[in-house]
Amino acid sequence: MAASPESIIRKQWETWSGRPGGKKIFSLLLGRVVPYTGSIGATVEELRPGYARATLRDRRRVRNHLRSVHAIALMNLAELATGLSLNFAMPADARSILVGLSIEYHKKARGTLTAEATAPVLQSNEERDLQVRTDIKDEAGDVVATATAHWKVGPRK
């Protein structure tokens, strides 16, 4: 069986995350595999089965006309964190697809932002629907947005 995209991402994380600058390199490589996700330039800071933490620097490229981080950049960051937390929590014979994503914006997002997501660690590839939530916080620890991702998990075909 060919290596799954999730196993390739997991192997790259194991290869790069412990090296100086490795998390940035991993994040750039991930952005090449998933170009739209890579468009915001987020950095994966921590990744383990059922948990992901990613940061997004505030810069002109991700800003809106209100001088804050654009709503869709926040949505993209939420998808990244929830997807990585879930995909690292699945067995090799499972796959997932995002079927819905909702987000609430609480305040203008400025400065470096952090998204943390926790997903259940799955023991089988049984078909199921899961919701994974993430809070996106600013440097002061204030929640600027809350997102819920709806993922469908099932056996790899």
Side-chain angles (χ1 to χ4, degrees):
M1 176 195 272
S4 68
E6 297 85 3
S7 66
I8 293 168
I9 291 169
R10 187 175 292 114
K11 175 87 170 114
Q12 291 302 311
W13 176 256
E14 291 166 359
T15 299
W16 291 104
S17 64
R19 297 180 182 184
K23 292 175 183 175
K24 191 68 175 166
I25 292 169
F26 169 83
S27 299
L28 290 169
L29 292 171
L30 180 63
R32 296 200 44 109
V33 173
V34 190
Y36 190 76
T37 296
S39 70
I40 62 170
T43 300
V44 179
E45 303 289 349
E46 189 175 349
L47 194 50
R48 62 180 186 268
Y51 179 82
R53 181 170 47 88
T55 58
L56 177 62
R57 284 185 314 105
D58 183 350
R59 59 201 190 288
R60 187 176 193 289
R61 181 178 198 148
V62 295
R63 282 192 153 215
N64 59 26
H65 64 289
L66 303 172
R67 294 185 311 277
S68 60
V69 176
H70 195 281
I72 299 306
L74 295 173
M75 182 81 96
N76 194 330
L77 182 63
E79 181 188 2
L80 172 65
T82 63
L84 286 174
S85 70
L86 177 60
N87 281 284
F88 265 59
M90 298 186 323
D93 62 348
R95 69 177 182 170
S96 68
I97 185 165
L98 183 69
V99 295
L101 185 58
S102 61
I103 192 164
E104 291 182 42
Y105 304 101
H106 306 293
K107 66 179 271 192
K108 286 186 179 179
R110 293 188 171 127
T112 299
L113 306 172
T114 301
E116 288 184 278
T118 303
V121 176
L122 306 178
Q123 302 302 317
S124 75
N125 69 359
E126 170 190 342
E127 198 164 299
R128 67 193 91 186
D129 292 314
L130 294 171
Q131 291 185 3
V132 181
R133 181 187 149 127
T134 183
D135 288 328
I136 301 173
K137 297 179 181 178
D138 62 16
E139 292 166 306
D142 294 334
V143 176
V144 299
T146 304
T148 303
H150 303 266
W151 292 91
K152 185 172 196 73
V153 176
R156 184 169 299 287
K157 298 190 179 174

